[in-house]
Amino acid sequence: MSDGKDGEMETCAHLNANRREANRDYSPRGDLKRMKHLTLITVVLALFSAPCLLGQSSSGDHVEIGAFADYLNLSRTTPHINFVGVGGRAAFNVHRNVQIEAEMSYDFARNFTSSFSNGVTAQFVQTKLRPLQAMFGPKFETNAGPLRAFGTFKVGFVNFSTSNQNAPSGFTGALNGVTAGDTRPAIYPGLGVEGFWGPFGLRLDGGDEIYFDNGTRNNLKITFGPVLRF
């Protein structure tokens, strides 16, 4: 008899323990307690992961600006005219290895000799020719490290203005004469390399600046200059 009572008491004890466990696990107070624990764990994980995420975002470069010296070999004339000038560019990342870049360059005036003949006499006239170039397009980089190779394909225009004015006035005239002057659509496929020391770097690139004027006109273009990324 004692064994039966002991077994019955043990069974009742187990039932009471299970009931208390069920009440503890599924009561509103238990749910609130578990939510507090989960919230605490989430906050702790967020605090530990935030510096890592911030470090990753700050280590990547998102914007790149630079200035450059420009060389343009205008092959339309005979002999070719070699221009040198200055320019600036800016780019922003749309992907780890892809940037959208815009640039503009202005080449200093070179004398261009034209001959005129009326069938009896010939006259030679010297005119100062200045190209103004503006391009926009993607830049594809091999990596995001300190040394990068890249390719680019830009579209834009080349404006040729003639003037005997000095460089600042000529530059203003070229800008104002874009729509009314001798402006031609152009494309620029090119390749280059750039190296960085922290946020500062140097960039060298070259390509074929092709403008369209009764056919395609191919012209070698090379740029070199400092770059800043951030």
Side-chain angles (χ1 to χ4, degrees), residues 10-181:
E10 184 177 356
T11 301
C12 292
H14 280 294
L15 290 175
N16 291 333
N18 291 337
R19 188 178 297 109
R20 288 194 301 270
E21 185 69 22
N23 292 334
R24 186 181 65 181
D25 290 342
Y26 299 102
S27 65
R29 183 179 298 177
D31 291 340
L32 181 61
K33 189 174 183 181
R34 284 194 298 273
M35 288 177 64
K36 289 181 178 179
H37 289 166
L38 290 175
T39 303
L40 180 61
I41 294 173
T42 303
V43 171
V44 172
L45 291 176
L47 291 175
F48 277 101
S49 61
C52 298
L53 295 176
L54 182 60
Q56 290 177 0
S57 62
S58 62
S59 63
D61 52 297
H62 305 287
V63 178
E64 189 174 307
I65 59 174
F68 57 86
D70 158 70
Y71 166 80
L72 176 68
N73 178 264
L74 184 63
S75 62
R76 183 74 181 271
T77 61
T78 303
H80 297 182
I81 302 178
N82 296 314
F83 290 94
V84 293
V86 293
R89 56 170 59 104
F92 63 92
N93 281 32
V94 294
H95 184 268
R96 177 182 173 87
N97 303 109
V98 182
Q99 292 181 329
I100 298 297
E101 184 172 69
E103 66 178 46
M104 178 177 283
S105 60
Y106 171 75
D107 294 332
F108 302 115
R110 289 292 308 273
N111 287 334
F112 178 73
T113 302
S114 303
S115 62
F116 300 90
S117 176
N118 58 8
V120 179
T121 60
Q123 183 180 6
F124 295 91
V125 178
Q126 280 195 343
T127 305
K128 289 185 176 181
L129 179 66
R130 290 190 177 96
L132 175 72
Q133 307 140 69
M135 298 288 173
F136 177 85
K139 173 187 170 192
F140 304 96
E141 300 175 327
T142 56
N143 57 69
L147 182 62
R148 312 176 183 185
F150 62 85
T152 184
F153 184 87
K154 298 184 178 74
V155 298
F157 65 84
V158 179
N159 172 261
F160 297 100
S161 63
T162 57
S163 173
N164 290 322
Q165 297 173 328
N166 55 22
S169 300
F171 180 63
T172 303
L175 284 175
N176 291 337
V178 165
T179 57

